[in-house]
Amino acid sequence: MMTTMDDDADSVKMLLEIFIDEHVNDGKKLLQQVHNSTEISEDAIRIVHSIKGVSSSLGAHPLRVLAGDIETRFKQGQPVSDADYRAFDLLLTDTISAATYYLEAENLAVYDEGVA
């Protein structure tokens, strides 16, 4: 991701912060959307489409592939298994955890540099 952002650490940090803020609950939202309705809503499609795009920018390949697969099945009216929804939620949670870990490590490094 740093290469994509021309080694601009501030841009990477900003992208990760926005990703976390905007998508932290999307896995749970998607599960609620599909379990509370007989039809796939525009909101559910928007969630997987958005995650597909941002995960590509983050280099989160497994999440991008699964989000793209779910989006395609939504648009084609094909069923999506509960296992795929749970996998989506788990991959999203893991990606958010990794982003959070990176940001915390960066903040600690900046603090350590200031103390030294």
Side-chain angles (χ1 to χ4, degrees):
M1 183 169 52
M2 285 293 282
T3 303
T4 304
M5 303 297 262
D6 294 326
D7 292 325
D8 184 349
D10 289 335
S11 292
V12 170
K13 181 180 176 186
M14 183 179 69
L15 178 65
L16 292 175
E17 289 170 344
I18 292 169
F19 166 69
I20 293 166
D21 288 343
E22 291 186 2
H23 300 290
V24 69
N25 295 314
D26 281 357
K28 304 295 185 255
K29 286 180 191 175
L30 180 63
L31 290 170
Q32 289 174 343
Q33 291 278 330
V34 298
H35 286 122
N36 292 334
S37 178
T38 57
E39 294 184 19
I40 300 302
S41 69
E42 287 297 318
D43 285 339
I45 294 170
R46 198 171 307 121
I47 287 170
V48 294
H49 179 77
S50 178
I51 294 299
K52 180 182 75 173
V54 75
S55 62
S56 181
S57 297
L58 296 175
H61 183 71
L63 180 58
R64 184 193 58 77
V65 169
L66 183 56
D69 184 48
I70 292 171
E71 180 184 30
T72 298
R73 287 189 268 162
F74 280 174
K75 290 180 177 182
Q76 294 175 351
Q78 297 175 349
V80 177
S81 70
D82 283 342
D84 282 341
Y85 289 126
R86 287 191 303 275
F88 176 87
D89 185 37
L90 182 61
L91 284 170
L92 179 57
T93 299
D94 287 349
T95 304
I96 288 171
S97 293
T100 301
Y101 178 81
Y102 174 85
L103 290 172
E104 289 172 353
E106 284 296 306
N107 286 338
L108 185 58
V110 168
Y111 174 77
D112 286 346
E113 287 175 9
V115 172

